[in-house]
Amino acid sequence: MKVVVLYGNSTSQDLSLFEIENEWQRAAALADIPLVMRHYETFPTPEEFNSLVDKDADALLGVWITDRFLNKKFYDSHPDLTYIAGLAHGFQQIDWKQSRDRGITITNTPYGEYTIAEYAFSLLLEICKKTETSCRYVKNTDWNAANDKPYTFAITRQIELYKKTLGVVGLGKIGLHSAEIGRAFGMHVLGYNRHRKDDSEYSFIEQVPLDELFMKSDVITLHVSLNTETEHMIDRAAFEKMKDGVIIINTARGALIDENALCDALKSGKVYAAGLDVLTNEPPESGNPLIACSNALITPHIAWLPKTCRLRQISMAVETYRSYLDGKPVNVINGKF
């Protein structure tokens, strides 16, 4: 059995490459799985990706499931592959049928339900409370000098979340945790999922059709994967259905939103503000209209980057492969499409 692991450099402030390598080896030792490690300095092209994986590999761990990577050429070059572990919650489109026809199991790694939901709310709270702006006001004012600046003064609009309606689009692990945080803030939670969730843990969520969620929500947060059905699911028609002054949060995938339509909605005030950790093209292309929108809060796709989360991501990927070897596969994604 040959199990190949692909891993890049750390993009977290407090996590070293050595710690990444050590966690792979530690988790593999616990699961009694020998690994062949393959490091890359920069994110590979499809051709580089193909060459990084040994031709006789039986399993591949640590993959970012991206368009154009898992294709016929790749499968033909690696005929012994039976298992591929994606390293993220999300994934892009591949030839799902071809993977099934070849008997390859593909899984994802739902490691970040807590931290990504937390980050979604950090974007929302910054929009509603503007704590950094108020901090600068205090620190940049000479309070000992004679001036007319009041101290107990809100220099930005303050928005209370209590009793507001939170619309959660996508009720997987991240969406559920986001809903739980919203409930803790005293928000009424609406939810939409392609397939209704009937487990008891979802009982506090009022599950409604998507159009109804658009119409009733004060805040909408997106937690769905990107595919042909969800691309630009938030478009001009969707914005027209929403409340005036709605807040949009996106920590999932940028292309879920038509960015030109969002920019127009931000400028018109239809959307009060947007908190975005993801964009359609990353880094943003020159001319992206959202960059100039003062009410678009944009961060560089970092919701998933706490050290604890990154290490959990690795251990979960190994555990998921162990479950597959034990004949009890979990988190299988290519059976859905």
Side-chain angles (χ1 to χ4, degrees), residues 118-136 156-159 161 185 247 249 272-276 294-299:
E118 289 169 5
Y119 199 90
F121 266 81
S122 76
L123 293 171
L124 177 58
L125 287 171
E126 178 58 25
I127 287 169
C128 293
K129 307 302 184 183
K130 299 288 179 61
T131 53
E132 177 61 25
T133 301
S134 295
C135 176
R136 288 198 303 269
T156 63
R157 179 185 174 189
Q158 297 289 294
I159 299 174
L161 293 177
F185 272 91
I247 296 172
I249 304 294
Y272 174 73
L276 311 171
S294 61
N295 49 346
L297 176 61
I298 305 173
T299 57

Side-chain angles (χ1 to χ4, degrees), residues 281-302:
N281 295 297
E282 298 173 353
E285 294 180 339
S286 176
N288 184 315
L290 291 172
I291 299 300
C293 288
S294 61
N295 49 346
L297 176 61
I298 305 173
T299 57
H301 205 148
I302 58 172

Side-chain angles (χ1 to χ4, degrees), residues 32-105:
D32 193 26
I33 298 171
L35 302 181
V36 176
M37 307 288 285
R38 293 282 183 268
H39 173 253
Y40 53 84
E41 288 288 342
T42 58
F43 194 76
T45 65
E47 293 73 22
E48 291 167 340
F49 171 75
N50 202 330
S51 64
L52 280 167
V53 184
D54 298 39
K55 293 185 181 299
D56 59 346
D58 298 287
L60 177 57
L61 311 184
V63 179
W64 302 104
I65 299 179
T66 304
D67 290 344
R68 300 179 294 112
F69 276 54
L70 301 180
N71 53 27
K72 185 177 186 300
K73 180 180 178 181
F74 176 78
Y75 292 135
D76 287 345
S77 300
H78 303 87
D80 296 333
L81 268 180
T82 60
Y83 181 87
I84 297 173
L87 202 57
H89 285 261
F91 44 86
Q92 292 178 271
Q93 288 299 290
I94 63 171
D95 189 335
W96 301 107
K97 182 178 184 301
Q98 186 169 174
S99 67
R100 291 194 299 270
D101 290 346
R102 293 172 183 257
I104 300 172
T105 297

Side-chain angles (χ1 to χ4, degrees), residues 112 251 258 296 336:
T251 54
D258 179 337
K336 300 178 182 180

Side-chain angles (χ1 to χ4, degrees), residues 22-316:
N22 187 61
E23 183 63 17
W24 276 113
Q25 295 292 359
R26 187 197 69 81
L30 290 174
D32 193 26
I33 298 171
L35 302 181
V36 176
M37 307 288 285
R38 293 282 183 268
H39 173 253
Y40 53 84
E41 288 288 342
T42 58
F43 194 76
T45 65
E47 293 73 22
E48 291 167 340
F49 171 75
N50 202 330
S51 64
L52 280 167
V53 184
D54 298 39
K55 293 185 181 299
D56 59 346
D58 298 287
L60 177 57
L61 311 184
V63 179
W64 302 104
I65 299 179
T66 304
D67 290 344
R68 300 179 294 112
F69 276 54
L70 301 180
N71 53 27
K72 185 177 186 300
K73 180 180 178 181
F74 176 78
Y75 292 135
D76 287 345
S77 300
H78 303 87
D80 296 333
L81 268 180
T82 60
Y83 181 87
I84 297 173
L87 202 57
H89 285 261
F91 44 86
Q92 292 178 271
Q93 288 299 290
I94 63 171
D95 189 335
W96 301 107
K97 182 178 184 301
Q98 186 169 174
S99 67
R100 291 194 299 270
D101 290 346
R102 293 172 183 257
I104 300 172
T105 297
I106 303 178
T107 61
N108 69 336
T109 304
Y111 63 94
E113 62 192 274
Y114 307 108
T115 194
I116 295 173
E118 289 169 5
Y119 199 90
F121 266 81
S122 76
L123 293 171
L124 177 58
L125 287 171
E126 178 58 25
I127 287 169
C128 293
K129 307 302 184 183
K130 299 288 179 61
T131 53
E132 177 61 25
T133 301
S134 295
C135 176
R136 288 198 303 269
Y137 173 70
V138 171
K139 290 187 172 184
N140 294 338
T141 299
D142 182 359
W143 297 102
N144 294 317
N147 60 65
D148 295 327
K149 286 188 175 182
Y151 188 75
T152 306
F153 179 68
I155 61 173
T156 63
R157 179 185 174 189
Q158 297 289 294
I159 299 174
E160 184 178 56
L161 293 177
Y162 180 65
K163 296 295 186 182
K164 295 288 194 301
T165 297
L166 173 68
V168 181
V169 181
L171 294 176
K173 291 180 180 293
I174 303 173
L176 174 60
H177 197 64
S178 297
E180 290 171 338
I181 296 174
R183 175 175 61 168
F185 272 91
M187 304 181 78
H188 174 59
V189 183
L190 302 180
Y192 166 79
N193 201 67
R194 184 174 60 171
H195 303 295
R196 182 179 177 84
K197 298 285 191 175
D198 291 322
D199 294 342
S200 60
E201 60 187 340
Y202 293 91
S203 61
F204 71 96
I205 302 172
E206 182 185 351
Q207 295 185 55
V208 297
L210 187 58
D211 283 353
E212 184 175 345
L213 183 147
F214 288 158
M215 290 186 288
K216 292 183 176 180
S217 298
D218 299 298
V219 178
I220 296 173
T221 182
L222 304 181
H223 301 290
V224 295
S225 59
L226 176 63
N227 54 52
T228 53
E229 293 181 2
T230 60
E231 184 174 8
H232 286 188
M233 66 185 304
I234 309 296
D235 56 10
R236 294 183 189 279
F239 286 123
E240 289 175 1
K241 297 170 185 173
M242 296 177 191
K243 289 183 177 182
D244 292 343
V246 66
I247 296 172
I248 304 292
I249 304 294
N250 188 9
T251 54
R253 288 294 183 269
L256 297 172
I257 301 176
D258 179 337
E259 292 177 345
N260 288 309
L262 174 57
C263 185
D264 290 343
L266 286 164
K267 289 178 178 178
S268 71
K270 179 68 178 183
V271 174
Y272 174 73
L276 311 171
D277 187 47
V278 288
L279 295 170
T280 299
N281 295 297
E282 298 173 353
E285 294 180 339
S286 176
N288 184 315
L290 291 172
I291 299 300
C293 288
S294 61
N295 49 346
L297 176 61
I298 305 173
T299 57
H301 205 148
I302 58 172
W304 60 290
L305 282 179
K307 179 177 180 176
T308 51
C309 189
R310 293 294 311 280
L311 296 178
R312 182 168 63 248
Q313 179 186 50
I314 294 168
S315 61
M316 284 188 69

